[in-house]
Amino acid sequence: MPNTKDIYTTGLRNAHAMENQALSILRPQVKRIEHYPEVAERIEQHIGETEKQIERLDQLLERVDGDRSALKDTALSMAGSMAAIGHTMAPDEIVKNSFANFAFENYEIAAYKSLVALAEGSGQADAVSLLQANLDEELAMAEWLDKHIQPLTMRYASLSSGGVDAKN
Ligand SMILES: [Fe+2]
């Protein structure tokens, strides 16, 4: 049976794959945005944050586990690309992506809360500040998305009513 440190190590690997998946979802999205510059700007910012989050996870993984599975990461990151492609057929792509991004950020928040508990419970207390840094960025991104769901939806409605192809 895995002990707490094993569970923590697996959780770190999963978080690493999760962040690569986040990049593979956000990068194609941001390239397609035309009418929502503040969304593009915030996503660009979060892409930069996510790259730093992956570096923090790399540091933590090096402390507990030298032998990481890059293959698993790749498979998950391909699944992420598929998820991003999934909404490109939707006439309200920008709106559906805002739902998916909000859901994904909340998944990440839960993952980091779980990892903070596992780090504390397996004698890795020095890892907590790095995990908390990632968690704080996910909380801020989720809050931003939460605030923008309604104005974004209404801008999509207004542009569409004016005859604009406002999906991106
Ligand atoms: Fe995130």
Side-chain angles (χ1 to χ4, degrees):
M1 298 297 280
N3 62 29
T4 307
K5 191 177 171 198
D6 296 333
I7 296 164
Y8 167 67
T9 304
T10 302
L12 283 178
R13 284 203 205 100
N14 288 338
H16 194 273
M18 172 184 78
E19 295 301 354
N20 276 320
Q21 187 179 10
L23 289 177
S24 71
I25 290 169
L26 296 177
R27 282 179 177 145
Q29 272 185 30
V30 78
K31 278 191 210 137
R32 296 171 57 81
I33 294 175
E34 295 169 33
H35 300 288
Y36 308 87
E38 79 289 357
V39 178
E41 194 183 320
R42 189 61 181 89
I43 290 178
E44 283 289 5
Q45 182 192 327
H46 197 58
I47 288 171
E49 289 167 350
T50 303
E51 286 163 349
K52 295 231 169 58
Q53 291 171 2
I54 291 171
E55 287 172 20
R56 292 187 195 115
L57 291 168
D58 278 330
Q59 285 181 49
L60 295 176
L61 276 162
E62 264 169 41
R63 292 182 199 173
V64 293
D65 174 27
D67 176 37
R68 290 192 282 111
S69 170
L71 203 67
K72 193 178 163 198
D73 260 30
T74 307
L76 271 169
S77 127
M78 282 170 66
S81 317
M82 301 304 279
I85 291 161
H87 290 143
T88 61
M89 301 305 282
D92 58 346
E93 178 181 339
I94 190 84
V95 177
K96 287 212 173 71
N97 282 342
S98 80
F99 303 168
N101 292 345
F102 185 65
F104 199 93
E105 292 305 324
N106 279 284
Y107 182 97
E108 292 183 310
I109 287 165
Y112 285 117
K113 285 184 174 174
S114 168
L115 274 171
V116 165
L118 288 166
E120 284 169 344
S122 63
Q124 305 285 315
D126 55 338
V128 170
S129 65
L130 290 179
L131 293 168
Q132 188 67 46
N134 284 16
L135 174 56
D136 288 346
E137 288 169 350
E138 308 304 11
L139 286 164
M141 184 63 176
E143 192 187 349
W144 191 94
L145 290 164
D146 187 22
K147 278 203 193 110
H148 286 77
I149 288 166
Q150 290 179 331
L152 175 68
T153 301
M154 294 321 291
R155 181 123 58 91
Y156 167 74
S158 162
L159 288 169
S160 294
S161 303
V164 178
D165 179 5
K167 66 187 287 202
N168 282 296

